[in-house]
Amino acid sequence: MDRQRGHLEKNPQDAVDNLIWIKVVGIGNAGVGKTCLIKHFCESKFSGGYQPTVGVDYGFKIQNVKGHELRVHLWDLSGSPEYIDVRNELYGQTDAIFLVFDVTNQASFESLDTWMKEVNKYSSGIHEIILVANKVDTKSGKRLISTQDAKKWASSHRINLYEASAASGDGVHKLFDEMLHNVLNKRKQAGLLPKAS
Amino acid sequence: MGDRKTKLTQSQLALEITTKGWTMGPDLRDEIFIQITRQTTENKKEDSLQRGWELMAILLNFFPPTHKFYSYLEGYISRHIDTKYDLENFSLARWCRTHGIRFTDIVDDEHYNHVPIHHFAEHCQRRLERTMQSGAKRGVRKPSLDEIEQAKKSIYCPSMFGSTLDDVMKMQKDHYPERRLPWIQTTLSEWVLKLNGAQTEGIFRVPGDIDEVNALKIHCDQWKPPTECIDPHVPASLLKLWYRELEAPLIPDVFYNDCIVNYTNAEAAVAVVNRLPEINRLVLAYLIRFLQVFAATENARVTKMDVNNLAMVMAPNCLRCESQDPRIIFENTRKEMGFIRTLIQNLDTSFMDSIE
């Protein structure tokens, strides 16, 4: 690098201040595929293994959206009711939530109302929430929740619906891209964005 | 009690008083109890009298009086167990209906027409004894409205959920005097197996339909087995809920650290189990024996719930971390899970064969 010894090109503090950190939280019943969606987004991998998340897991990815480098933390909260205390501690400072259900599991769809209640209780003020209908690939089993039903629920809560399959990868990048896009726009509107480099 | 107009609901008021007493300490607590005893003495207004006793019962869920004041309060409460203090000219039958309790649980005489102060007093007495032993509610999180509602509900609807193991055993004495294990525990466990839970993918991980679980909870509180249930996830979810909601954790707090320290040491882990109070030991051994069935390879292959997964979903139902520090909670979560895994793999539960 072409610089004077002992002098960084940029003030490191400025460089740190200019980083954009985004916190995303995934919720939904146990076994709907939150961990798999995050894994696919971060590492483009799918593992058919069956491992419940203990309390909380974590994914990280640097994603370029409209010339901004976003540092995205993905918090993968356990869906088990046992871990409600852990979850409640972690909702703070969240930029976006993706709420997941499994289209082959009726109960996971019916629990969405309960999840929205939890969101409203512990993380009010988050404006970017999306609904993800996971496991739409045909291999996962018989689809029980139609796109129409899911759309109806989503629009009654004024949020967007995305269909995805962490197994085939369909729709995964689209949902995260659009979600991050919206988060970025909102920050822009609020004037909270450093200049794009 | 409730005599002055206010915009707050009764539960909100109760929460305010509870929080004050809980945070400000012993002197204020005694003062609160003294005020309530005064307000419930010679009070001829049904509603007001009942609210006063209700508030006393709620408060006793959160903190005790000082030792100095204890004997006075105990005397006051036990005196009111006598039915002569019950308020007259009052439809007890209606009162029971509105509070969802069985008339016969309170009195034998169907023409009885008083505010059943003795019912409140009995409840308060049990609460008082317990809180004197356990002390004020622990932790740093202030009492919540949910906890107030739960405390209030327990006055009117004694439930097998959210009680202590001792209370559960007392409750079932009339129904099953011979049993050494809680009926609710064995019944729900057996139904999970009956509905082929040991061959159902994600058993104990996938939650049952929340409405069905709630309905089954009410059903079971009337001592009825879950005969109409077809989905094993429903009794499985309720079973987990029962363990989780026990008033004191299945493995009591005083043993918590031993579990965390010895989570990979089979011998020490088994020793912890043997030191538990008898009822806790039996209930835990039954649970571990039950989980051993699921951990067997031929079942785990189908359920995808191997010993690690089983331990992961069950540990938070057996152990409760007291800390509020997220880092400690995370660190301990894996150790709690390790402890349960060690038990599933090493605890000899054959002695449970003849126990039911």
Side-chain angles (χ1 to χ4, degrees), chain A residues 30 50 52-53 82-83 89 110, chain B residues 141 202 209 240 309 312 317:
Chain A
Y50 197 82
T53 305
E82 287 83 351
Y83 285 101
E89 299 285 336
E110 280 164 11
Chain B
R141 207 170 289 158
D209 180 278
K240 285 201 299 177
N309 288 354
M312 186 253 136
N317 299 318

Side-chain angles (χ1 to χ4, degrees), chain A:
Chain A
M1 222 191 271
D2 200 16
R3 63 174 168 83
Q4 249 183 303
R5 186 184 279 269
H7 284 274
L8 290 170
E9 216 172 320
K10 282 185 197 167
N11 179 348
Q13 191 56 46
D14 285 349
V16 171
D17 287 347
N18 278 330
L19 297 180
I20 308 171
W21 301 92
I22 307 262
K23 176 175 169 185
V24 175
V25 162
I27 54 171
N29 271 10
V32 295
K34 298 177 290 294
T35 306
C36 289
L37 284 169
I38 290 176
K39 222 181 175 81
H40 192 102
F41 175 65
C42 294
E43 304 165 28
S44 297
K45 264 197 259 176
F46 176 73
S47 132
Y50 197 82
Q51 270 191 341
T53 305
V54 182
V56 63
D57 212 340
Y58 182 75
F60 179 74
K61 193 180 186 189
I62 297 179
Q63 179 86 344
N64 208 303
V65 178
K66 285 207 289 190
H68 292 279
E69 242 183 31
L70 306 187
R71 279 163 171 73
V72 187
H73 297 272
L74 296 121
W75 294 68
D76 179 10
L77 305 192
S78 165
S80 305
E82 287 83 351
Y83 285 101
I84 182 161
D85 288 340
V86 176
R87 282 201 302 275
N88 296 346
E89 299 285 336
L90 300 174
Y91 277 121
Q93 310 284 311
T94 300
D95 295 290
I97 291 181
F98 64 99
L99 172 55
V100 189
F101 76 97
D102 168 1
V103 295
T104 68
N105 179 315
Q106 183 82 29
S108 75
F109 180 66
E110 280 164 11
S111 303
L112 292 177
D113 286 323
T114 319
W115 284 106
M116 274 312 262
K117 264 185 217 148
E118 189 174 306
V119 168
N120 290 331
K121 195 165 170 187
Y122 295 101
S123 61
S124 54
I126 297 173
H127 300 298
E128 187 58 25
I129 303 174
I130 61 167
L131 178 65
V132 181
N134 195 26
K135 308 196 191 176
V136 293
D137 61 296
T138 43
K139 279 183 205 144
S140 297
K142 200 176 159 228
R143 180 164 183 163
L144 297 173
I145 311 294
S146 68
T147 304
Q148 212 181 354
D149 288 342
K151 255 206 183 115
K152 209 168 136 196
W153 191 92
S155 53
S156 76
H157 289 80
R158 293 202 239 162
I159 60 178
N160 284 335
L161 167 73
Y162 293 89
E163 304 218 322
S165 160
S168 68
D170 289 343
V172 178
H173 283 277
K174 179 173 184 267
L175 78 92
F176 282 112
D177 283 345
E178 292 196 20
M179 181 169 79
L180 293 172
H181 208 112
N182 291 342
V183 171
L184 194 70
N185 275 343
K186 270 173 195 156
R187 285 219 186 160
K188 249 184 204 162
Q189 282 164 13
L192 292 172
L193 226 50
K195 279 182 206 129
S197 45

Side-chain angles (χ1 to χ4, degrees), chain B residues 40-92:
Chain B
T40 50
T41 301
E42 302 276 323
N43 188 341
K44 297 292 178 202
K45 274 163 92 183
E46 289 167 13
D47 251 17
S48 173
L49 180 65
Q50 188 183 329
R51 300 271 165 269
W53 278 98
E54 226 172 65
L55 183 59
M56 174 114 77
I58 292 171
L59 291 171
L60 287 170
N61 276 277
F62 296 90
F63 51 76
T66 60
H67 280 281
K68 218 165 152 192
F69 187 60
Y70 164 74
S71 51
Y72 295 97
L73 188 60
E74 205 281 326
Y76 180 80
I77 291 173
S78 58
R79 202 162 64 241
H80 285 80
I81 290 175
D82 191 329
T83 49
K84 80 173 183 207
Y85 287 98
D86 291 1
L87 207 64
E88 287 172 45
N89 301 323
F90 169 83
S91 170
L92 183 62

Side-chain angles (χ1 to χ4, degrees), chain B residues 15 55 63 90 105 111 117 124 128 146 152 155 169 177 187 207 240 254 263 287 295 307 323 354:
Chain B
L15 176 63
L55 183 59
F63 51 76
F90 169 83
D105 280 350
H111 299 296
I117 295 305
C124 285
L128 178 63
D146 282 346
K152 191 167 158 185
I155 308 170
M169 295 313 283
T187 305
K240 285 201 299 177
V254 287
Y263 73 102
L287 170 63
V307 67
S323 173
S354 54

Side-chain angles (χ1 to χ4, degrees), chain B residues 155-191:
Chain B
I155 308 170
Y156 300 112
C157 316
S159 168
M160 283 179 265
F161 295 81
S163 295
T164 62
L165 284 177
D166 287 334
D167 280 347
V168 172
M169 295 313 283
K170 255 182 233 157
M171 262 179 240
Q172 74 179 33
K173 237 181 174 166
D174 297 337
H175 297 82
Y176 305 102
E178 303 298 323
R179 280 177 181 266
R180 291 173 64 194
L181 286 165
W183 170 86
I184 183 82
Q185 180 193 25
T186 56
T187 305
L188 289 173
S189 303
E190 282 161 18
W191 274 90

